[in-house]
Amino acid sequence: MKEQYNPKEARIEENDLSEEAVYLLKWDTPRQAEEADTPVISNDQWVWVEGSVWTAKMLKTLERGVKGGKWYSLIDKVWKIENLRSAFKRVKANKGAAGVDRQAIAQYEEHLESNLQWLSEKLKQGSYRTKPIRRCYLEKPGRKKELRPIGIATVRDRIVQTALRNVIEPILENEFAPRSYGFRPQRHQKLALREICIAFKRGKHWVLDADIQGYFDQIDHKILMGKVAQHISDNRVLELIELFLKAEVDENGTLHASEQGSPQGAVISPLLANLYPNELDWALARQGLTMVRYADDFVVLCDEETQAQQAKEYIEKWCTENQLRLHPDKTQIVQVSTRRGIDFLGYHLRTENKRWVSEKSRKQFRDKLRPLTARCHGQSLKKTIEKLNPILRGYFNYYKDTQGSVLEKLDQLPRRRLRTIIRCNNKRKGNGRGWDNKRYQIVYFNNLGLFNMEQARLENLES
C-alpha cells in the first residue's frame, strides 16, 4: 500500500532538522554563522510574492491552511490586468529571444496595454491558446558533443506563464520541504552547500550521491497534474497549466507534440519540477534522513552505509512509481573523509570543511574563456578584458569560499591567453610563455583592469 503523504505533519519534524539552514540565510559565510549568538529568522517570508495578487489576508489564510487543503477560484487572479502588467515587467527584465511568431519584447511593448487587455479577455473567456515553443539547442559546458534542448515560448505566452506562476507559486512554495533549494525564492546554491557541510560536521559521512536520468524530459504529465490537483482545485487553472505542458514544439518548422516532460526554458517549469519530487523530500525527512536537493541534483547524507543503501532502494522504488530512473553511472554511495569527497553544485566537498572548485567546474571555466580569447580575434585587449571581467567576477563570487590556491591557478589562464593575443598583435607566433611572462606580469594586467580572483579572495579573507 502506498504511503500517505501529509506535508503538514512532516513539516514539524523537518523544521527541527533544518534549523541551521534557515539560520544561515542571514550570514555571508559559515564562519559568521558559527560566531553568531542566536539564530535570526527573517519575518519577510512572503516579501517576494506578487502584491497585486496576494493580499495580507490571503497570506494569513495560506499560513493557516485553507479548508480541505485546496485552493479554489484562482483564474480571476491570473487574468487580472495588474498581474499581467507585473508579469510583463518580469519578462522584460529577463530579456530573452523571440518565439515562433518572431515578436520581440520591444515590439510587444509598443502596444502594451491593448496587448495585455487582449490576453486578459482571452483568459476570461477560456479561449486562450498557446503558440508552439521554438526549440533550440545549447552546448552543455564542458561537453562538446552534448546539447541541451531549450524551449523558447512567445512573449505573450511567457507573460501568461509568469502571471500564472505569480498566483500558484506561494501555494506550492508553502508545501515544499526546507531542504529543497533549487529555483526557489530566498534560497540559493550556497545555502544547500552549507547544509551539507553541517551534516558532515554531525558525522553524516555516508553519502548517496544521486542523479535522476533525463529528469526534466521524463516528467509524466498525468502524475504531475495529479500532484498539482492535491493543492489547487480551480479547473481553469489546471487546464492552463496542462496547456503549457502540452504545447507543441517547433523544431526547424516541424511540429512535435509534447507527451511528457516539463519544457526546459519555460517560466513555469522550475516550479512544477520542484513539486514533482516534493513527496519524496518529505518521506525521507520523516525517516530521519538528510536529503539536500537542488532541482534534480541531490544527495542523501547518512550515519551508516546501510542507511545510504536503504535510501537508495527507497528512492529507486519512488522513481519507478513516478516513471523516473536513477542514472546507473552517476548514482553512487560514497564514504566522505578528508581524502575523498563528493562533487555538488560546482564544489568538491570533503569533511572538516574542506572544499574546492570541482574539476568539472574548472573545465567549464576554461571552455567558457577560450572563445573570448582566441589568438587573433581582431578585438583590442581592452575590449577583451571588458568581456572577461563579468565572467571572472561571477566565478569569484560563487567560489570565493574555496580553499587553497585554486583561484590563483585559474587566474593564470586568462593572463596566458591575453599574452598570446599580445604576441599575435605584434606579429609574433606561438603562445604567451617564458619571456612574455616576465614582460607582462600580473601587475601589468592589474593595471589594465583585469579582475584578479586570487587577490579578491585574499581581500575577502581580511575583511
Side-chain angles (χ1 to χ4, degrees):
M1 183 176 177
K2 190 174 179 181
E3 184 180 12
Q4 290 299 308
Y5 161 54
N6 189 333
K8 300 298 181 186
E9 290 179 3
R11 183 174 289 116
I12 296 171
E13 295 180 41
E14 185 66 358
N15 275 338
D16 293 334
L17 290 169
S18 194
E19 183 181 359
E20 292 90 349
V22 180
Y23 170 31
L24 284 165
L25 275 168
K26 181 175 173 62
W27 309 105
D28 293 329
T29 66
R31 179 167 54 100
Q32 285 180 306
E34 289 167 6
E35 292 174 355
D37 294 325
T38 55
V40 178
I41 299 174
S42 172
N43 292 322
D44 297 331
Q45 181 185 1
W46 302 112
V47 69
W48 53 271
V49 302
E50 173 53 44
S52 67
V53 174
W54 286 92
T55 63
K57 184 178 178 181
M58 287 176 66
L59 290 173
K60 284 183 181 178
T61 302
L62 180 64
E63 291 176 348
R64 288 196 305 265
V66 291
K67 188 177 180 180
K70 296 184 180 182
W71 284 76
Y72 298 82
S73 303
L74 295 171
I75 190 65
D76 61 310
K77 296 167 180 59
V78 179
W79 73 52
K80 195 174 180 181
I81 284 291
E82 291 84 358
N83 185 22
L84 291 171
R85 192 178 292 119
S86 176
F88 171 76
K89 289 178 181 177
R90 293 194 184 191
V91 170
K92 183 180 178 180
N94 291 334
K95 300 179 182 179
V100 292
D101 60 358
R102 302 297 173 184
Q103 185 180 43
I105 294 172
Q107 292 174 306
Y108 190 92
E109 190 175 18
E110 289 175 2
H111 306 285
L112 181 61
E113 290 305 315
S114 59
N115 284 335
L116 295 182
Q117 193 63 48
W118 182 89
L119 280 181
S120 180
E121 289 300 320
K122 288 292 182 182
L123 288 166
K124 276 184 188 178
Q125 297 165 7
S127 58
Y128 177 82
R129 295 294 178 268
T130 62
K131 287 185 176 292
I133 297 170
R134 182 164 68 88
R135 171 65 55 82
C136 63
Y137 293 88
L138 299 177
E139 283 189 8
K140 286 191 176 182
R143 303 178 187 178
K144 293 182 180 178
K145 294 183 180 179
E146 196 170 349
L147 299 174
R148 176 185 287 115
I150 297 293
I152 301 175
T154 61
V155 174
R156 76 173 202 189
D157 285 346
R158 299 206 296 269
I159 293 170
V160 176
Q161 282 193 52
T162 304
L164 175 62
R165 187 185 66 187
N166 288 346
V167 174
I168 68 172
E169 186 172 24
I171 296 170
L172 301 183
E173 178 64 28
N174 197 45
E175 303 296 331
F176 289 160
R179 285 196 173 109
S180 165
Y181 290 98
F183 310 112
R184 292 181 60 188
Q186 298 182 319
R187 288 169 180 266
H188 48 77
Q189 292 168 310
K190 287 291 188 71
L191 202 55
L193 292 164
R194 291 170 193 170
E195 183 118 36
I196 293 173
C197 291
I198 288 169
F200 286 171
K201 220 173 174 182
R202 290 178 170 178
K204 296 182 181 295
H205 294 166
W206 284 97
V207 181
L208 170 62
D209 185 5
D211 182 276
I212 297 177
Q213 193 167 15
Y215 174 64
F216 281 88
D217 296 331
Q218 299 302 317
I219 289 175
D220 184 278
H221 288 174
K222 185 177 180 181
I223 294 174
L224 174 59
M225 291 307 301
K227 293 176 186 292
V228 176
Q230 290 177 10
H231 311 290
I232 295 170
S233 285
D234 188 321
N235 288 331
R236 295 276 301 278
V237 168
L238 295 176
E239 289 169 4
L240 191 57
I241 293 171
E242 196 161 15
L243 201 63
F244 285 119
L245 284 174
K246 295 187 178 297
E248 291 184 310
V249 175
D250 185 321
E251 191 160 4
N252 296 324
T254 303
L255 294 179
H256 303 283
S258 297
E259 301 297 335
Q260 63 182 26
S262 185
Q264 293 192 54
V267 173
I268 206 167
S269 279
L271 179 62
L272 298 178
N274 266 332
L275 176 65
Y276 203 77
N278 186 48
E279 179 181 341
L280 176 65
D281 294 342
W282 286 115
L284 290 173
R286 287 197 299 271
Q287 295 173 32
L289 296 171
T290 303
M291 176 179 175
V292 179
R293 182 169 66 82
Y294 194 92
D296 60 330
D297 197 1
F298 65 91
V299 292
V300 183
L301 303 113
C302 307
D303 298 310
E304 301 172 355
E305 184 179 10
T306 53
Q307 277 186 326
Q309 187 58 46
Q310 289 168 2
K312 182 182 178 185
E313 291 169 3
Y314 187 90
I315 293 170
E316 285 176 335
K317 180 175 179 292
W318 179 87
C319 283
T320 301
E321 292 172 353
N322 288 272
Q323 306 298 314
L324 298 173
R325 179 172 178 255
L326 286 180
H327 199 295
D329 300 324
K330 297 180 181 179
T331 300
Q332 58 180 339
I333 294 175
V334 179
Q335 184 181 21
V336 296
S337 64
T338 57
R339 307 186 71 173
R340 189 182 184 192
I342 58 168
D343 289 350
F344 192 70
L345 300 179
Y347 270 88
H348 180 76
L349 305 171
R350 299 185 188 180
T351 58
E352 297 186 6
N353 207 24
K354 294 181 181 292
R355 57 196 183 278
W356 298 275
V357 182
S358 70
E359 185 54 46
K360 179 181 175 183
S361 293
R362 297 184 210 186
K363 187 177 186 305
Q364 290 174 352
F365 175 76
R366 293 191 289 267
D367 290 343
K368 198 165 187 177
L369 258 57
R370 283 192 181 102
L372 298 177
T373 54
R375 190 175 187 277
C376 296
H377 61 348
Q379 290 191 334
S380 68
L381 210 61
K382 182 181 177 182
K383 194 72 176 176
T384 303
I385 289 174
E386 285 176 1
K387 290 185 177 181
L388 287 175
N389 277 343
I391 297 172
L392 298 176
R393 285 196 182 95
Y395 202 81
F396 163 74
N397 286 332
Y398 188 68
Y399 290 107
K400 62 185 176 184
D401 294 327
T402 191
Q403 294 177 327
S405 57
V406 175
L407 295 182
E408 184 179 9
K409 291 177 181 177
L410 290 174
D411 268 331
Q412 296 172 10
L413 176 64
R415 288 196 295 264
R416 184 170 65 246
R417 294 186 69 83
L418 288 173
R419 290 185 188 108
T420 301
I421 292 174
I422 294 172
R423 288 181 70 91
C424 180
N425 291 342
N426 292 335
K427 310 299 182 185
R428 295 162 60 213
K429 296 181 180 180
N431 296 323
R433 300 176 185 274
W435 179 82
D436 289 312
N437 287 351
K438 295 180 181 179
R439 183 171 184 179
Y440 307 109
Q441 296 183 19
I442 297 174
V443 67
Y444 174 82
F445 293 106
N446 287 349
N447 291 335
L448 286 175
L450 181 68
F451 184 76
N452 187 312
M453 293 188 291
E454 177 60 13
Q455 181 179 313
R457 185 183 77 86
L458 295 174
E459 290 173 356
N460 182 63
L461 288 174
E462 292 173 0
S463 61

